[in-house]
Amino acid sequence: TELTHASVNLDVVIGRNGEVLQSHYEGSDSRVTTCVDREVRQWHFPSQSEEKKSVRVPIVFDRS
């Protein structure tokens, strides 16, 4: 049976100037997690005062 949704938990380390330094992911569909990981490495966050900051980003995709 085909899954009706795919979930991904991203752990992202963001550098001082907003660039993604590292990303790690876990998910229910390897094709989706691979795609999300490739995209998140291109994200840019606002600058911050900390040297680096870790955040978790949960994402759920519904298939239609």
Side-chain angles (χ1 to χ4, degrees), residues 7-42:
S7 60
V8 179
N9 284 314
L10 292 168
D11 292 313
V12 181
V13 178
I14 304 163
R16 181 172 288 195
N17 68 359
E19 82 278 15
V20 173
L21 300 176
Q22 293 177 297
S23 68
H24 174 76
Y25 56 90
E26 298 174 351
S28 62
D29 184 314
S30 62
R31 293 173 299 167
V32 172
T33 54
T34 300
C35 180
V36 168
D37 183 57
R38 184 174 51 244
E39 293 300 316
V40 76
R41 292 176 186 272
Q42 299 175 44

Side-chain angles (χ1 to χ4, degrees), residues 4 6 22 24-25 29 42 44 49-50 54 56 59 64:
T4 58
Q22 293 177 297
H24 174 76
Y25 56 90
D29 184 314
Q42 299 175 44
H44 193 81
S49 60
E50 298 176 51
S54 297
R56 174 162 274 204
I59 304 171
S64 53

